[in-house]
Amino acid sequence: MPQNGVAVLNGDSGSGYKNGTTNSHHPHRKLFDDDDVVPAQRDVEEDAADVRYPDGSVRLRNPNIELMDQDILYHLALGSGSHDLVEMFGDVKFVCMGGTPKRMEQFAYTIMAEIGHKLPCGTTLQDISQFSYRYSMYKVGPVLSISHGMGIPSVGILLHEVIKLMYHARVRDPVFFRIGTCGGIGLEGGTVVISDEAVDGALRNVLELTVLGKNIQRPAKLDRRLARELRGLADPEDPYDTVTGRTMCTYDFYEGQGRLDGAFCDFTEADKMSYLEGLHRAGVVNIEMESLAFAALTHHAGIAAAVVCVTLLDRLKGDQVLAPKEVLDEWQQRPTKLVCRYIKRYLQMKGRLSLEGHGSIAVKSPRRFKLVQQESETYD
């Protein structure tokens, strides 16, 4: 099977969970040992049986998926019947998400250099989800690098499909990271923030959803042990601070974050400062727009997760990002460095550097592959 190309496998089967039948759910291949547990786990879910099979692979809280002939991951341009997801993604251990396709392509090249991953001669990284035109996804050995877009709806849609991808690929005990930017509260631009808690604009530690006309709340919990381990990897020689604290997640960049420079504003400078200073007293150290959904959905799935962001400004001093582009580019590398340190340390502990994992597109059914590609290419 060619790396980063398209390989056709015989058969037109689905995911192996058809018509109510069960599967032994043994991983296709093992990159890590059976007793492998990421050091940060298990601070994520009280009832592990609801979210894990005995071998540690991801179990969905949705019985309908097992009964489906094929599960199309529409926004990723992948499908359980069209692609061999176990072959493509069965060795994944870390899923790293960030806002833009360009940033996550850069992350993929950075982590490739850090862990010594080698691509075959004449090949390059491929955007696995390129035909969706929505998200970008790159695979580097045991690491997935995925763009999640902007805001709670975008990251929520992606997480549903990536968690299902973990299930179909029979991935065991994955760890998810969100790498991004934020506004600081009492922190100078360039400060790295590791979230130990995600709250909404009313400082509630829950994601509120309307499902079938009813409001439900899902706890937005991050893995605090994982956060502590990341904090421990901050280098004293780094020319910037790395801190932990509460992250406020909003549904909006302007009014929801108390900015005076949006198209609409019905409050005063004094109102804004009173609100931000109140957040500061409540232990909020930064504001962004994805952590609440990221924390709630990963927690509900029983997946250890962390949010690492860099501040672009201190919101107590202004609303607009004024740092030069070259400065912003360097700042945005800082969360990447910390997450890379964690992944590299883990792989070193397991003797797994210089990996040559898969990442090519493995096609089960050419007919279904074409249908999934056509479906995902539609813009409606």
Side-chain angles (χ1 to χ4, degrees):
M1 180 174 63
Q3 285 280 347
N4 297 307
V6 176
V8 179
L9 307 181
N10 292 328
D12 195 6
S13 59
S15 62
Y17 300 100
K18 296 182 182 179
N19 303 318
T21 60
T22 59
N23 186 293
S24 61
H25 217 83
H26 293 303
H28 174 73
R29 63 183 182 278
K30 297 193 293 185
L31 178 62
F32 303 98
D33 299 330
D34 289 334
D35 60 353
D36 243 6
V37 178
V38 172
Q41 297 191 15
R42 171 84 304 122
D43 185 27
V44 288
E45 190 66 39
E46 290 80 5
D47 191 355
D50 288 344
V51 293
R52 286 289 179 276
Y53 288 99
D55 66 358
S57 53
V58 172
R59 184 174 195 165
L60 295 180
R61 292 175 175 266
N62 182 359
N64 299 304
I65 302 299
E66 292 187 358
L67 306 179
M68 294 170 60
D69 177 62
Q70 172 176 223
D71 183 17
I72 297 176
L73 308 180
Y74 175 76
H75 301 90
L76 298 179
L78 295 170
S80 62
S82 55
H83 298 75
D84 190 334
L85 299 179
V86 176
E87 175 66 24
M88 291 173 66
F89 301 103
D91 60 344
V92 167
K93 196 69 175 180
F94 302 100
V95 177
C96 302
M97 299 182 181
T100 69
K102 186 64 176 177
R103 184 188 305 162
M104 299 319 292
E105 181 184 17
Q106 291 172 342
F107 177 85
Y109 280 104
T110 299
I111 194 65
M112 187 190 315
E114 289 291 329
I115 68 175
H117 182 80
K118 305 295 184 184
L119 294 176
C121 182
T123 66
T124 186
L125 281 178
Q126 178 186 15
D127 180 358
I128 298 169
S129 295
Q130 62 180 314
F131 293 109
S132 77
Y133 302 105
R134 294 171 179 86
Y135 303 105
S136 292
M137 178 192 297
Y138 299 91
K139 185 173 184 298
V140 179
V143 182
L144 276 185
S145 179
I146 313 174
S147 66
H148 60 52
M150 188 186 303
I152 284 176
S154 184
V155 74
I157 292 166
L158 176 68
L159 281 167
H160 270 275
E161 297 192 9
V162 172
I163 290 167
K164 290 199 296 176
L165 176 60
M166 298 295 100
Y167 161 77
H168 289 301
R170 304 176 194 172
V171 171
R172 294 184 294 172
D173 295 316
V175 178
F176 282 29
F177 294 102
R178 170 172 136 66
I179 304 165
T181 59
C182 63
I185 304 291
L187 298 175
E188 294 297 326
T191 303
V192 173
V193 178
I194 304 164
S195 304
D196 60 19
E197 186 179 36
V199 298
D200 66 8
L203 300 183
R204 300 177 301 171
N205 185 219
V206 293
L207 174 68
E208 191 165 86
L209 301 167
T210 302
V211 179
L212 300 182
K214 298 178 181 179
N215 287 340
I216 64 169
Q217 293 184 341
R218 292 209 173 124
K221 295 184 179 180
L222 294 163
D223 193 306
R224 294 201 175 197
R225 185 176 174 185
L226 178 56
R228 289 194 300 270
E229 292 190 349
L230 285 165
R231 178 67 182 84
L233 291 174
D235 191 336
E237 299 297 318
D238 289 337
Y240 50 86
D241 292 331
T242 298
V243 304
T244 58
R246 299 177 86 186
T247 295
M248 189 179 84
C249 178
T250 68
Y251 290 84
D252 169 56
F253 183 79
Y254 288 100
E255 292 177 285
Q257 296 187 11
R259 280 185 155 86
L260 300 171
D261 58 343
F264 313 103
C265 184
D266 298 317
F267 48 85
T268 66
E269 170 81 20
D271 294 333
K272 176 191 111 170
M273 293 308 299
S274 176
Y275 178 64
L276 293 180
E277 288 165 359
L279 294 179
H280 194 216
R281 289 192 297 272
V284 173
V285 297
N286 65 328
I287 308 175
E288 46 87 90
M289 296 188 293
E290 291 85 22
S291 62
L292 200 67
F294 183 82
L297 271 65
T298 53
H299 175 70
H300 200 55
I303 294 173
V307 177
V308 186
C309 292
V310 66
T311 60
L312 300 185
L313 77 165
D314 182 355
R315 287 297 316 288
L316 296 179
K317 298 180 179 179
D319 293 342
Q320 296 203 336
V321 177
L322 301 176
K325 184 180 184 303
E326 58 271 19
V327 173
L328 294 174
D329 289 344
E330 192 279 320
W331 284 356
Q332 291 181 48
Q333 290 300 311
R334 294 176 180 181
T336 290
K337 290 178 181 178
L338 189 60
V339 171
C340 285
R341 287 173 192 167
Y342 184 91
I343 294 172
K344 185 175 181 179
R345 186 195 67 161
Y346 179 81
L347 296 176
Q348 285 174 332
M349 288 169 55
K350 300 301 176 182
R352 297 292 194 267
L353 287 182
S354 299
L355 294 160
E356 294 191 10
H358 285 208
S360 52
I361 294 178
V363 176
K364 275 185 177 179
S365 163
R367 178 180 62 84
R368 288 186 171 183
F369 174 79
K370 188 63 177 177
L371 287 173
V372 168
Q373 192 176 93
Q374 290 173 343
E375 283 291 320
S376 292
E377 284 179 335
T378 63
Y379 289 91
D380 297 338

